[in-house]
Amino acid sequence: MSTYNIPRDTKGEGRILFIFSTKALMYAGIGIGIGWIFYFLFDLIGLSVVGIIIMAILGGVGFSIATFNIPNITKIDVAKKNAGQSIDEVLRRYLKFRMKKVKKYALYKGGNK
């Protein structure tokens, strides 16, 4: 008697670990690295538990920046303009804009009322 494998759909099985992308793990690592500085400072005064909590929070913030997209909230102007884009792309564009230090002014060409 031989074995017979029942065919099944396995497309969705790999998707459960999709949230652990390389980019998300790198951002989480950066957040944990920044949190490690706080852990070291709090460990010096004897509050290492607070440092571990801050390290976990910053790791979660880094992970969420890399993973999530900006939702479409119509009442918030920034969210409406950037809806559907990833948070790290928006932050990257904002920092790039702020680093240029180019000021653009719009002149009002209307007459006096």
Side-chain angles (χ1 to χ4, degrees), residues 15-35:
R15 302 288 295 170
I16 200 165
L17 298 176
F18 178 70
I19 60 170
F20 297 111
S21 65
T22 306
K23 180 174 76 168
L25 292 176
M26 286 185 346
Y27 276 65
I30 291 169
I32 290 172
I34 294 170

Side-chain angles (χ1 to χ4, degrees), residues 88-99:
D88 68 322
E89 276 298 316
V90 174
L91 288 175
R92 190 175 300 138
R93 279 190 287 133
Y94 174 75
L95 291 174
K96 193 177 190 182
F97 175 76
R98 297 300 283 175
M99 291 295 203

Side-chain angles (χ1 to χ4, degrees), residues 8-84:
R8 60 186 179 128
D9 184 19
T10 58
K11 289 181 186 175
E13 289 182 5
R15 302 288 295 170
I16 200 165
L17 298 176
F18 178 70
I19 60 170
F20 297 111
S21 65
T22 306
K23 180 174 76 168
L25 292 176
M26 286 185 346
Y27 276 65
I30 291 169
I32 290 172
I34 294 170
W36 183 79
I37 296 169
F38 287 105
Y39 169 75
F40 179 72
L41 293 174
F42 280 109
D43 191 38
L44 289 175
I45 58 173
L47 296 172
S48 62
V49 175
V50 175
I52 291 172
I53 291 171
I54 290 174
M55 195 164 44
I57 289 172
L58 289 177
V61 166
F63 180 79
S64 63
I65 285 173
T67 305
F68 299 126
N69 294 333
I70 295 178
N72 186 9
I73 302 172
T74 56
K75 295 189 183 215
I76 301 174
D77 192 39
V78 175
K80 184 169 55 174
K81 290 179 181 177
N82 296 313

